[in-house]
Amino acid sequence: MVRSFLIKKEVDIYYNYFFVAMFFIDIYRAFKFAWQSFWRNFWLSIVTITIISLALISVSLLLSFNLITANVLDIVQARTEIYIDLTDQAKTAQIDFLVNELNRVPDIKEVVYVTPDQTLERFKATYQDNELVIQSLESLGTNPFTGSLRIKVQEIDQFPVLLEEISKPEYSEILEIDNAEFYQARDLITSISSYSDKIEGFGFGISIFFILISVIVVFNTIQMGIYSHREEIGIMKLVGASNWFVRAPFLIEGVLYSVVAILIVLILFYPIAALIQPHLDNFLGEYTLDLVQSINQNIWLVLALEIGIAMFITVVSSFLATRRYLKV
Amino acid sequence: MISIKKITKKYGSDYYALKDVSLDIQSGEFVSLVGQSGTGKTTLVKLIIAEEKPTSGRIIIGGWDITKIESYEIPYLRRQIGVVFQDFKLLPKMTVYENVAFALQTCGAKKRKITDTVPQVLKIVGLDNKMDRYPHQLSGGEQQRVVIARSLVHRPKLLIADEPTGNLDSINTKEIIDLLLKINEIGTTVLLVTHNREVVNNLKKRVITIDNGEIVSDQERGRYLL
């Protein structure tokens, strides 16, 4: 009996059936192969995992730094209060009206009327260590302060809106506007933001550097794996192993490196955070942040970021290596 | 049936491994492709198993134009074509049985199919009593028979043997050629690529002669001409 060839249409049907049916058989074998390769090149695997871990740690530090800066900025902003002095002519009804009006402006968080006595107390508290100022104040015999308005804005950037609001002609009679306090607060925020941007840029650069190094290292590890299995791979291709069957073990090997690296980073993170925390408290003082608690609150973001980056590193490099060295 | 139409394979800007080659092979034929080293025989084999693509021309196997083959389709073509090379390409750390089973495992075959098929093909090549041996414990002829057994596990429609006797003495050569004839008798088309004059002249089958990348002769019951 003479056997004729399958035609392409039949091959298509054969292919679809085969792909689904063999997927589960293949995946077990691919995992087994990847596991063996992982242990066979043990030291190379250790180096690869270390590099991926370093990339993940640098990304985690960058993320922690972002959380810390955001926290500091929030605290500074929340504490920024601007006092606007009222003139002598300001009457209680006018003040009440102004307070109500300003409280209605969406960008303003809170407006509180501070009486002259309260202003005096605040002044004394501020300059309690400066005897000369206190003595000068007492020598006046009267309270030189007028009342003032204590204003908090939602966002410090919205200060021009507030300035525009209080600069209306109808308030000119009762308000003495000094922009200096606005600018001081804004400059502080700008300065923190600017430093944080620079550090963030540096951290970002370091992370990209480690990610690129990781891609190269994983690429080389997979390439070595392919090289040490070249005979087997050549035969596989010759006897008709599917492309997936040949490539999958190497892709899975890459994913295996990622998983181990993520676990290591997660295990190391808490001791590292505990080690950094006292230094962070010293440096930031009242602006400090509880790192562990903060990361716990953002755990899904942290996990998603780490898994995303680890998968990016290994899948991209394994894919490139298998594509380059496993041409079918 | 294999239909090769005006195939040209060019390497670099001016080296032609094959030039305007056309030939047809019918199902069930035993064809010897002969020619001196470097004349383009192995290039033609590589084109048939889609390891390389031609510069121009078409190769149609069973109505399937494999010059337009997609990457994912190549494995399914290769399961229909058994290939035997001069260098045996056996895995040294696997036994005879494991080497043959490997071809089925890599294609995702179930255990049952493997345990049924492997002893059958090893029996065809006469190695059913040496299943547990390793390649280094076998003679050259026996190793080549393991390769032939491995190429048979997918019940190929075409068996391509590229210089299968190149590393063998005359006794082993005869055994391998007899085995190829036996496989041809059970319905498999055989394409034997060789430059062994004696083998070709004794076969008394169709002989296609290639010289400098071109077919110079195609005879029904041919002889080695060059």
Side-chain angles (χ1 to χ4, degrees):
Chain A
M1 187 196 78
V2 173
R3 269 179 272 144
S4 61
F5 280 96
L6 286 180
I7 59 167
K8 186 178 178 303
K9 193 179 169 189
E10 288 169 312
V11 169
D12 282 342
I13 297 164
Y14 181 62
Y15 174 79
N16 291 335
Y17 158 74
F18 230 69
F19 187 80
V20 177
M22 292 194 319
F23 181 79
F24 293 103
I25 302 169
D26 285 2
I27 200 134
Y28 166 74
R29 182 217 152 250
F31 266 105
K32 197 175 148 195
F33 182 96
W35 184 251
Q36 283 170 348
S37 186
F38 181 89
W39 290 104
R40 195 178 292 169
N41 302 311
F42 181 72
W43 290 110
L44 193 61
S45 303
I46 294 293
V47 170
T48 310
I49 290 166
T50 308
I51 296 290
I52 300 172
S53 302
L54 282 175
L56 294 181
I57 286 173
S58 67
V59 171
S60 302
L61 288 177
L62 184 66
L63 180 73
S64 304
F65 178 76
N66 274 338
L67 291 173
I68 292 166
T69 344
N71 180 61
V72 171
L73 287 176
D74 278 352
I75 295 172
V76 170
Q77 194 149 289
R79 289 185 185 175
T80 303
E81 298 170 336
I82 294 141
Y83 285 85
I84 298 172
D85 291 339
L86 296 160
T87 59
D88 293 339
Q89 285 86 36
K91 291 174 185 137
T92 315
Q94 282 176 309
I95 295 167
D96 288 346
F97 176 76
L98 181 60
V99 168
N100 280 335
E101 283 297 300
L102 291 178
N103 269 326
R104 277 198 207 127
V105 178
D107 293 328
I108 293 174
K109 200 173 176 182
E110 188 190 32
V111 179
V112 176
Y113 170 57
V114 183
T115 62
D117 290 344
Q118 286 168 328
T119 308
L120 178 66
E121 286 309 311
R122 185 172 147 255
F123 185 86
K124 280 182 178 173
T126 309
Y127 294 98
Q128 60 182 337
D129 298 329
N130 193 331
E131 275 185 35
L132 188 67
V133 173
I134 300 294
Q135 278 173 7
S136 309
L137 188 66
E138 280 169 358
S139 68
L140 288 173
T142 56
N143 181 356
F145 297 106
T146 57
S148 57
L149 297 180
R150 191 179 68 213
I151 302 176
K152 283 185 183 176
V153 285
Q154 305 281 7
E155 295 282 340
I156 200 74
D157 292 342
Q158 289 152 353
F159 124 91
V161 179
L162 172 64
L163 194 62
E164 193 182 327
E165 187 64 31
I166 58 178
S167 303
K168 283 180 182 172
E170 57 261 41
Y171 304 140
S172 61
E173 201 181 296
I174 54 171
L175 288 176
E176 276 178 12
I177 299 168
D178 175 8
N179 295 343
E181 272 195 276
F182 281 107
Y183 289 117
Q184 277 169 10
R186 195 187 60 172
D187 289 349
L188 178 63
I189 300 270
T190 311
S191 155
I192 294 173
S193 297
S194 157
Y195 278 118
S196 85
D197 283 350
K198 278 177 194 159
I199 297 173
E200 211 170 87
F202 181 71
F204 187 72
I206 293 278
S207 299
I208 293 290
F209 175 75
F210 275 120
I211 288 172
L212 283 179
I213 295 282
S214 305
V215 168
I216 294 167
V217 169
V218 176
F219 181 91
N220 279 300
T221 307
I222 300 293
Q223 182 193 337
M224 291 213 24
I226 292 170
Y227 184 77
S228 64
H229 289 100
R230 64 193 183 286
E231 261 186 295
E232 216 171 320
I233 291 165
I235 294 167
M236 277 188 205
K237 291 198 283 186
L238 194 68
V239 297
S242 65
N243 298 353
W244 149 256
F245 192 88
V246 180
R247 280 181 184 155
F250 298 102
L251 295 176
I252 289 174
E253 191 181 337
V255 172
L256 202 60
Y257 294 135
S258 294
V259 172
V260 177
I262 290 169
L263 287 176
I264 287 174
V265 172
L266 286 179
I267 291 168
L268 282 182
F269 173 76
Y270 290 100
I272 290 176
L275 210 68
I276 292 175
Q277 192 67 53
H279 299 284
L280 198 66
D281 293 345
N282 276 342
F283 183 69
L284 292 175
E286 57 188 326
Y287 297 108
T288 196
L289 170 79
D290 186 335
L291 261 184
V292 172
Q293 194 191 353
S294 183
I295 293 288
N296 282 345
Q297 278 167 359
N298 294 285
I299 193 70
W300 293 115
L301 173 69
V302 175
L303 276 179
L305 194 74
E306 291 196 350
I307 291 172
I309 287 173
M311 290 301 155
F312 170 81
I313 291 169
T314 50
V315 170
V316 165
S317 46
S318 310
F319 180 77
L320 288 177
T322 52
R323 200 181 153 85
R324 170 92 172 75
Y325 297 102
L326 287 181
K327 275 185 187 162
V328 180
Chain B
M1 190 184 80
I2 303 174
S3 184
I4 294 173
K5 294 178 178 175
K6 288 183 171 289
I7 280 291
T8 294
K9 178 68 186 176
K10 201 163 91 171
Y11 293 106
S13 58
D14 57 354
Y15 177 69
Y16 286 87
L18 290 171
K19 214 172 186 179
D20 238 4
V21 170
S22 294
L23 63 96
D24 287 319
I25 296 173
Q26 304 302 325
S27 296
E29 267 194 288
F30 190 116
V31 179
S32 300
L33 186 64
V34 304
Q36 288 171 344
S37 296
T39 51
K41 305 186 300 289
T42 300
T43 303
L44 190 60
V45 171
K46 285 181 177 172
L47 295 177
I48 292 172
I49 63 171
E51 198 177 311
E52 290 193 20
K53 290 210 166 187
T55 309
S56 64
R58 293 167 72 194
I59 299 175
I60 296 159
I61 302 179
W64 184 5
D65 185 351
I66 61 150
T67 47
K68 291 177 183 162
I69 196 165
E70 296 290 337
S71 163
Y72 77 89
E73 293 173 323
I74 292 174
Y76 303 98
L77 171 76
R78 292 197 184 153
R79 285 174 200 172
Q80 297 177 69
I81 301 176
V83 188
V84 177
F85 286 110
Q86 180 177 352
D87 53 337
F88 310 123
K89 291 190 196 296
L90 290 171
L91 292 166
K93 288 180 183 171
M94 286 186 183
T95 64
V96 166
Y97 181 94
E98 286 165 345
N99 263 289
V100 176
F102 184 68
L104 285 168
Q105 284 165 348
T106 58
C107 298
K110 287 182 180 167
K111 217 171 183 173
R112 180 79 187 267
K113 192 186 176 190
I114 296 172
T115 52
D116 285 351
T117 311
V118 177
Q120 278 176 22
V121 291
L122 283 173
K123 197 171 181 186
I124 292 173
V125 301
L127 285 174
D128 47 332
N129 56 342
K130 292 184 177 175
M131 285 198 275
D132 297 327
R133 301 262 181 103
Y134 286 90
H136 71 271
Q137 296 171 318
L138 302 173
S139 70
E142 286 171 328
Q143 288 187 43
Q144 194 58 291
R145 280 194 275 158
V146 179
V147 177
I148 293 172
R150 188 180 64 197
S151 71
L152 293 177
V153 289
H154 294 306
R155 295 173 52 80
K157 281 69 177 182
L158 170 66
L159 180 70
I160 299 176
D162 189 359
E163 303 283 5
T165 59
N167 284 339
L168 304 179
D169 58 28
S170 56
I171 296 169
N172 278 313
T173 297
K174 190 177 179 313
E175 278 180 15
I176 293 298
I177 297 301
D178 286 348
L179 183 58
L180 292 178
L181 284 166
K182 186 175 156 191
I183 290 164
N184 177 240
E185 275 167 24
I186 57 173
T188 304
T189 308
V190 175
L191 177 63
L192 170 67
V193 179
T194 184
H195 60 252
N196 188 322
R197 181 183 297 272
E198 201 184 330
V199 165
V200 176
N201 290 344
N202 286 337
L203 272 170
K204 297 186 176 61
K205 298 270 187 183
R206 183 180 169 192
V207 178
I208 297 169
T209 308
I210 291 191
D211 192 27
N212 281 329
E214 291 178 274
I215 293 182
V216 292
S217 147
D218 185 349
Q219 297 174 306
E220 262 318 303
R221 287 170 71 84
R223 292 180 65 80
Y224 197 101
L225 294 178
L226 296 169

